[in-house]
Amino acid sequence: MGAENQDTNHLSSVKNALRILRSFTVDEPEKKVSDLSVSLGLNKSTVSRTMATLASEGFVYKDPETKKYRLGFSILSLSGIVNTTMDVYRESIQTLNKLVETTGETAHLSIIDQLEVIYLQKVECNHPVRFLTHVGRRNPLYCTSSGKVLLAYCQDEDLLEQVIQQGLNRFTKNTITDPQKLREQLKEIQKNGYAYSSEEYREGVNSIAAPVYDYRGKVIAALAVVGPKQRIPSQKINNIAKKVIYAASEISAKMGYR
Amino acid sequence: MGAENQDTNHLSSVKNALRILRSFTVDEPEKKVSDLSVSLGLNKSTVSRTMATLASEGFVYKDPETKKYRLGFSILSLSGIVNTTMDVYRESIQTLNKLVETTGETAHLSIIDQLEVIYLQKVECNHPVRFLTHVGRRNPLYCTSSGKVLLAYCQDEDLLEQVIQQGLNRFTKNTITDPQKLREQLKEIQKNGYAYSSEEYREGVNSIAAPVYDYRGKVIAALAVVGPKQRIPSQKINNIAKKVIYAASEISAKMGYR
DNA sequence: CACCATCGTTGCTTTATACGCAACAACAAT
DNA sequence: ATTGTTGTTGCGTATAAAGCAACGATGGTG
């Protein structure tokens, strides 16, 4: 049945290659053929040949000395196409710059993809950089301010249930793990027009996010400011929220929202 | 012969998939199965099945209404791994921010990849954004300031010859197309410690770049400031160059260069 | 330093996959 | 209303890809 993309209907050697690409992580940006063979359950000659093919097209790079592979710059080239061809990306850059200036903290723009938040755009503040997030990084929906905003305004009611179904895993002592509490908080976020996360995803890190609308009135992205709790204490959340909401509405206006 | 990656030794269905991915451009971010079939010389059922496989892993996304495909967010995720795991990327962010503040113009960091410049990092200035470059974009080596810096300091003497061999195509009336003039200019750049491009790649756009060294004294990246010629006239080049050189040396120091 | 283990590559064989054809439904164009 | 185009899918076949074994290179160990 064509409508359902069953595994049996896919090209297995292409899937192998894509699984290899997806196995690279920030924590493990270098991989050996033998390690991939074990972790993916593929024969080492299969991995070796697949890697050679990926390398020939610049999707991976083989260090001639260590024989380890890294992701290649063809990926960076393609990613430039992914985000710069998105209207919301282009329309948000100046506003993110201004928001970082007025709040003094890092700002980013994110959307939902595959039951997660993914960061499209990030502007760093002038404080020492700690790399809490990066463009392309995925984070959970239920315990990040951006994620909660996107959940709160999502028109697909099924999405929240799927996220809950997947499990609300605890990251810090502040993580919301009770589905009912999450539902209540999402209603509150709809009322307030913004969300915040107080150390819900990462110890010591707070963030505040507001929805970005498109011309049809659909929420298509979340704009957020993120920083250490010392610089974003509870008392400042309301003030920062006003700035984030204003900036988000600026982007929304550029997207044709009225 | 294993050392030479001959086409006949690669997995053809994987190559098909990678060729499909690479066919997307900023100018054509959406593709139809039938158009790809024609442009890549593949049967439409081959394209259709390959696309379905790429979509199942998030490498492309199919618009359910138009049936056109776009690149997917798995690519953005992987690109985040590509650049944030590079030392020079992490060590340069704050310096780029400062450089944009002191010069008032857009700055970016780039490296060489496959006989081209590729942009790893970009910080926009506060002027209206024109998207002359983006992270992941590739540009020629011989007529961009970053490219000329990387060529001037490249230890692989073959590289310049390969670039010349490929042809010095004219982009503007200022593009250097004479190999001998290019060689002379590269020597000059080594002397000056910076390069500039005066409308050599794009009409009305000037840029100034300086080399970034690693701990071994090898030039691994170029730091550049770019802007319209009205804001970066010839008279200001020397002054801006000083700032770029200083910023590049800051990054070099962080990379362990002394 | 010799020996053993591991890794990555490659020749080869076998089998299962991927390719292309044809047919079809849906939609667009005339 | 008719024709053309597109994308999907069943099917058959040829070939590509997977895995095995062997090998050379390199690393680890006693």
Side-chain angles (χ1 to χ4, degrees):
Chain A
M1 201 233 210
E4 262 184 295
N5 288 324
Q6 293 162 339
D7 272 5
T8 50
N9 283 342
H10 291 146
L11 310 184
S12 57
S13 48
V14 173
K15 292 203 75 156
N16 286 346
L18 303 179
R19 284 175 70 211
I20 287 173
L21 289 177
R22 293 181 60 159
S23 68
F24 289 91
T25 63
V26 171
D27 297 325
E28 271 200 296
E30 286 190 314
K31 294 276 187 180
K32 288 164 59 182
V33 166
S34 53
D35 289 338
L36 283 164
S37 172
V38 169
S39 63
L40 297 180
L42 296 170
N43 195 281
K44 60 182 179 167
S45 56
T46 299
V47 176
S48 178
R49 289 194 168 105
T50 306
M51 278 296 199
T53 306
L54 291 167
S56 74
E57 301 287 332
F59 281 76
V60 297
Y61 160 77
K62 181 182 183 186
D63 186 309
E65 290 172 13
T66 63
K67 298 202 183 194
K68 285 181 169 180
Y69 286 88
R70 300 182 68 102
L71 290 171
F73 294 111
S74 286
I75 293 188
L76 208 56
S77 297
L78 294 180
S79 78
I81 298 164
V82 173
N83 55 21
T84 57
T85 54
M86 293 182 72
D87 292 335
V88 72
Y89 174 89
R90 289 198 299 276
E91 301 297 352
S92 67
I93 287 178
Q94 290 196 276
T95 306
L96 260 81
N97 280 341
K98 282 194 280 182
L99 186 57
V100 170
E101 278 183 32
T102 59
T103 60
E105 302 298 340
T106 293
H108 44 58
L109 187 83
S110 51
I111 59 169
I112 295 182
D113 182 60
Q114 289 176 18
L115 300 188
E116 293 174 303
V117 164
I118 184 167
Y119 297 98
L120 289 186
Q121 169 80 272
K122 180 189 184 195
V123 177
E124 297 281 359
C125 65
N126 282 338
H127 297 285
V129 176
R130 286 168 56 199
F131 290 103
L132 302 175
T133 62
H134 58 258
V135 169
R137 179 172 171 106
R138 296 172 183 273
N139 271 349
L141 283 165
Y142 61 94
C143 52
T144 54
S145 62
S146 301
K148 290 194 288 185
V149 152
L150 292 165
L151 271 181
Y153 289 89
C154 184
Q155 288 165 351
D156 179 2
E157 310 243 322
D158 234 14
L159 190 84
L160 174 57
E161 297 316 310
Q162 287 181 70
V163 167
I164 290 172
Q165 189 70 35
Q166 261 192 348
L168 307 181
N169 297 318
R170 183 177 297 279
F171 290 93
T172 72
K173 65 187 191 299
N174 286 1
T175 309
I176 299 168
T177 52
D178 176 7
Q180 195 49 37
K181 279 202 161 202
L182 179 62
R183 289 192 184 91
E184 284 163 15
Q185 201 173 104
L186 297 186
K187 283 184 178 9
E188 188 93 354
I189 288 163
Q190 284 181 342
K191 268 186 2 184
N192 295 336
Y194 71 91
Y196 62 85
S197 169
S198 294
E199 295 189 83
E200 289 167 41
Y201 176 56
R202 193 183 292 243
E203 298 283 342
V205 176
N206 288 350
S207 64
I208 302 134
V212 174
Y213 297 87
D214 72 1
Y215 68 97
R216 292 170 295 184
K218 186 186 179 207
V219 170
I220 52 167
L223 180 68
V225 154
V226 61
K229 63 179 180 179
Q230 294 85 359
R231 299 201 308 260
I232 307 189
S234 302
Q235 307 93 294
K236 293 183 74 175
I237 281 180
N238 217 8
N239 184 41
I240 294 176
K242 283 186 178 112
K243 291 171 175 170
V244 179
I245 291 169
Y246 179 78
S249 69
E250 212 176 58
I251 301 172
S252 301
K254 286 175 175 176
M255 295 302 295
Y257 179 67
R258 28 176 71 252
Chain B
M1 201 235 210
E4 259 183 298
N5 290 322
Q6 292 162 339
D7 273 6
T8 49
N9 284 342
H10 290 146
L11 309 185
S12 58
S13 47
V14 173
K15 290 200 79 155
N16 286 346
L18 301 179
R19 284 175 71 211
I20 286 172
L21 289 177
R22 292 179 62 156
S23 68
F24 290 90
T25 63
V26 172
D27 297 325
E28 269 199 300
E30 286 191 315
K31 294 277 187 179
K32 287 164 61 182
V33 167
S34 53
D35 289 340
L36 283 163
S37 171
V38 170
S39 62
L40 297 179
L42 296 170
N43 195 281
K44 59 181 180 172
S45 55
T46 301
V47 175
S48 180
R49 288 195 167 102
T50 306
M51 278 295 201
T53 306
L54 289 167
S56 74
E57 299 288 332
F59 281 77
V60 296
Y61 160 77
K62 182 184 183 185
D63 186 309
E65 290 172 15
T66 65
K67 299 206 182 188
K68 285 182 172 181
Y69 286 88
R70 300 182 68 102
L71 290 171
F73 295 111
S74 287
I75 293 186
L76 208 56
S77 298
L78 294 180
S79 80
I81 298 163
V82 174
N83 55 20
T84 57
T85 54
M86 292 181 72
D87 291 336
V88 71
Y89 174 89
R90 289 198 300 275
E91 300 297 353
S92 67
I93 286 178
Q94 290 194 277
T95 305
L96 261 81
N97 282 340
K98 282 195 277 178
L99 186 57
V100 171
E101 278 181 34
T102 60
T103 61
E105 302 298 341
T106 292
H108 44 58
L109 188 83
S110 52
I111 58 168
I112 294 181
D113 181 61
Q114 290 175 17
L115 299 188
E116 294 175 302
V117 164
I118 184 167
Y119 297 98
L120 289 187
Q121 170 79 273
K122 180 189 184 193
V123 177
E124 298 281 357
C125 66
N126 283 337
H127 296 284
V129 176
R130 286 169 57 199
F131 291 102
L132 302 175
T133 62
H134 58 257
V135 169
R137 179 175 171 102
R138 296 171 183 272
N139 270 350
L141 281 166
Y142 60 94
C143 52
T144 54
S145 62
S146 301
K148 290 194 286 185
V149 151
L150 292 165
L151 271 180
Y153 289 90
C154 183
Q155 287 165 351
D156 177 4
E157 309 242 323
D158 233 15
L159 190 84
L160 174 59
E161 298 315 311
Q162 286 181 71
V163 168
I164 289 171
Q165 190 69 36
Q166 261 192 349
L168 307 181
N169 298 318
R170 183 176 296 277
F171 289 93
T172 72
K173 65 187 191 300
N174 287 0
T175 309
I176 299 168
T177 52
D178 176 5
Q180 195 49 36
K181 279 202 163 202
L182 180 62
R183 288 192 184 91
E184 284 162 15
Q185 200 173 104
L186 296 187
K187 283 185 177 14
E188 188 93 353
I189 289 162
Q190 284 182 339
K191 268 188 1 185
N192 295 337
Y194 71 91
Y196 61 86
S197 169
S198 295
E199 297 189 83
E200 290 168 41
Y201 177 56
R202 193 183 294 243
E203 298 284 341
V205 176
N206 288 349
S207 64
I208 303 134
V212 174
Y213 297 85
D214 70 3
Y215 68 97
R216 293 169 296 183
K218 187 188 178 207
V219 171
I220 52 168
L223 179 69
V225 153
V226 61
K229 64 180 181 179
Q230 293 85 0
R231 301 201 306 259
I232 307 189
S234 302
Q235 307 93 294
K236 293 183 72 175
I237 281 181
N238 217 9
N239 184 42
I240 294 176
K242 283 186 178 112
K243 291 170 175 169
V244 179
I245 291 169
Y246 180 77
S249 69
E250 213 175 59
I251 302 172
S252 301
K254 286 175 176 175
M255 294 303 294
Y257 180 66
R258 28 174 75 248

